[in-house]
Amino acid sequence: MMMILKYTLVSVAIVVLLLFLFRIHSALSEPRLQLWHTYIPEELSTEELESATWGDYTAREEQVFAAVRVHVSDKLPLATRTKLNRYYEGSLIYPPHFEHDWNRSFILEPEGDVLGVAVFLHGLTDSPYTLRHVAMHYTKRGFVSIGLRVPEHGTVPAALAHAQWEHWMAATRMAVREAQKRNPSQVPLHLVGFSNGAALALKYTLDSLQDASLRRPDQLVLMSPLVGVVPLARFAGLAALPAVFPAFAKAA
């Protein structure tokens, strides 16, 4: 019996080692990392977000995008300064050149009486851009529309390598606090979430059932909600394990 257990453990260890080596090999064979894969801007921390105002968040957001310009856009190697590189100032798709940079958090005010307030939460690897038309639709119908740029999004891909859901929830609570500030007459509050944003909206709502200090939404609108994740998804982060060694940073 002990021999069977011993061989089983050795076999498992060999399989784990082979998988780890395969992941290292696949990471090393991927394209060379660019500046936007290595620079990580500093967002407000989870603790700071718990007491932050919308003004605090957007002020730091401005600093974050300014830092991306300094550390990424201004330092791009000549070979990456192409018309289709969103980080190149001369690009056709450089976000700050557009009339409205929808990578940023936004607030849209209705022209008449305020009939409601809605908070919009975009999806994973996404930005407020994808929910802008839904927000405009709400605003035309008398709602204040608050579009949150979820932390680590809309800036550089490297930021997502260190993202934590607790950070996103703290930002969601901050956005709802702003909604409450703009809701003195207690008109309906809607949470509108797409994909991962729908998961954040649902989690906030469940939390509000247990915490009286959280304003409970009157309506949830969940689009393609990311709430049916298979149990094995919890192990997805293991693919980034080789990144603990700088030489294998691509794995992240």
Side-chain angles (χ1 to χ4, degrees), residues 25 57 100 127 152 184 233:
H25 173 73
Y57 189 73
H100 189 114
S127 77
E152 287 86 46

Side-chain angles (χ1 to χ4, degrees), residues 38-217:
T38 57
Y39 173 69
I40 301 176
E42 186 178 352
E43 303 262 12
L44 289 178
S45 68
T46 301
E47 293 73 22
E48 290 172 326
L49 281 169
E50 294 297 358
S51 59
T53 65
W54 183 262
D56 296 331
Y57 189 73
T58 54
R60 177 60 66 86
E61 188 174 76
E62 179 60 37
Q63 294 173 5
V64 164
F65 280 95
V68 170
R69 286 195 295 272
V70 171
H71 295 283
V72 178
S73 296
D74 293 348
K75 295 182 178 180
L76 289 176
L78 187 60
T80 63
R81 298 181 181 233
T82 67
K83 291 294 185 180
L84 295 180
N85 184 344
R86 68 184 293 270
Y87 297 105
Y88 172 44
E89 191 171 359
S91 168
L92 297 172
I93 53 175
Y94 185 62
H97 287 340
F98 288 94
E99 183 178 352
H100 189 114
D101 183 356
W102 291 103
N103 281 328
R104 314 288 188 98
S105 300
F106 64 80
I107 294 181
L108 304 178
E109 302 271 5
E111 293 184 359
D113 295 335
V114 174
L115 304 180
V117 183
V119 174
F120 295 85
L121 303 168
H122 63 75
L124 188 64
T125 76
D126 210 341
S127 77
Y129 174 86
T130 51
L131 290 177
R132 72 196 189 286
H133 287 313
V134 184
M136 292 174 181
H137 179 83
Y138 262 83
T139 303
K140 288 179 180 178
R141 284 154 181 78
F143 276 69
V144 174
S145 296
I146 299 176
L148 174 70
R149 180 193 62 84
V150 178
E152 287 86 46
H153 289 74
T155 55
V156 288
L160 285 165
H162 298 273
Q164 295 182 328
W165 69 267
E166 294 89 350
H167 198 196
W168 298 340
M169 286 307 307
T172 299
R173 289 189 290 271
M174 180 277 301
V176 175
R177 288 198 301 272
E178 179 63 21
Q180 275 299 93
K181 186 187 300 184
R182 294 170 177 269
N183 190 5
S185 56
Q186 296 301 298
V187 292
L189 167 67
H190 289 200
L191 289 191
V192 183
F194 169 66
S195 189
N196 190 61
L200 297 177
L202 184 58
K203 176 70 167 66
Y204 174 89
T205 304
L206 293 173
D207 289 345
S208 73
L209 298 178
Q210 305 295 328
D211 187 346
S213 69
L214 299 177
R215 168 66 155 90
R216 188 179 304 177

